[in-house]
Amino acid sequence: MTADTTTDVFETHRPVLMGVAYRMLGRVADAEDVVQDAWLRWSAADRSEVREPRAYLVRVVTRLALDRLRRIKDRGEAYVGPWLPEPYVTDFGGTVPDTAERAVLADSVSLAVLVVLESLSPLERAVFVLREAFGFPYAEIAAMLERAEPAVRQLGARARKHVDERRPRYDVDPAQRRELTERFLAAAAEGDLKGLMALLAPDARLVGDSGGRAKAPLRVLESADKVGRFLVAVANSGVPDLSVRFLEVNGGPAVLVLSGGKPDSVFQLDVVDGRIQSVYIIRNPDKLRSLAA
């Protein structure tokens, strides 16, 4: 392969590689580092012996992500308050024309599912991501992980059972989520408690991720009343030079709140039966850097 061909092949598969790495790690910067390391290995490899570049590159990225994930878990990193994945801007656009496939990809990268994936072992997480999100056959996953296929099938079954038991049952309707997000934003900005209560499910919850670096609840808020009153208090406190921007994050509509043109927070909602079930707020500045552009 020429240098241009080498680059073209890698860039063709970059979205898949980034998708695998992010779902494995839940951190955009870590995923980008892994993909960059994969590029260095790809550019130095003897590509004349690579029959399937996509499978080869996914194998490299998976192993690099596994190594990084194990190091993170081995360090036993303490985190202040609830943890949410770093928001990942997603725009499947014309690359995923099939509605069912888009729904699978959106679900596998949702904040709620990624929180559940944090409780899996690194190997379980790798098998789940490769099988459930990207549809790799078990035989191919076994080769990537250098494990026997029966063992990989067991890992996959255990991971799927764990995720299914803990995965929230949310409606996947982007148009409805966008409409409710707009109404939620208007009510929250006006400090309209009555309006918020009309949108929130009675058992609504709010998960705020600040990492101790910004103001946010250090525990999950449970019940529409607590969530609504917290949001009204936030509105009353005000954000200097506030502006907002809609974007697609983790497969669904979200709101980026800016203060003085710089990212302050990201809001995203999960919806069940036309009511807001969960409110996610990410305020950790380290997790908002990728949204600064």
Side-chain angles (χ1 to χ4, degrees), residues 13-64:
H13 299 296
R14 181 183 288 273
V16 171
L17 303 180
M18 187 65 188
V20 170
Y22 174 75
R23 286 167 176 80
M24 286 283 296
L25 298 165
R27 299 162 175 84
V28 175
D30 285 353
E32 290 174 340
D33 287 347
V34 162
V35 172
Q36 180 61 26
D37 287 347
W39 159 248
L40 295 175
R41 298 193 182 203
W42 169 249
S43 60
D46 181 1
R47 292 174 297 281
S48 64
E49 298 183 1
V50 178
R51 299 173 62 181
E52 296 289 344
R54 182 175 185 266
Y56 174 88
L57 289 168
V58 170
R59 179 171 69 249
V60 171
V61 163
T62 299
R63 291 179 178 176
L64 289 170

Side-chain angles (χ1 to χ4, degrees), residues 203-215:
D203 58 346
R205 58 201 297 270
L206 183 146
V207 184
D209 178 337
S210 69
R213 304 280 309 282
K215 290 184 178 180

Side-chain angles (χ1 to χ4, degrees), residues 23 92 96 100-110 132-134 250-251:
R23 286 167 176 80
F92 303 121
V96 185
E101 185 180 355
R102 179 187 175 92
V104 169
L105 286 171
D107 181 61
S108 70
V109 80
S110 71
E132 303 297 328
F134 295 95
N250 294 78

Side-chain angles (χ1 to χ4, degrees), residues 45-46 63 75 82 205 207 216 230 239 277 289:
D46 181 1
R63 291 179 178 176
R75 287 200 301 267
R205 58 201 297 270
V207 184
F230 170 79
V239 176
Q277 187 66 52
R289 288 175 181 169

Side-chain angles (χ1 to χ4, degrees), residues 191-199:
D192 179 4
L193 180 59
K194 183 178 179 180
L196 286 169
M197 295 296 287
L199 298 174

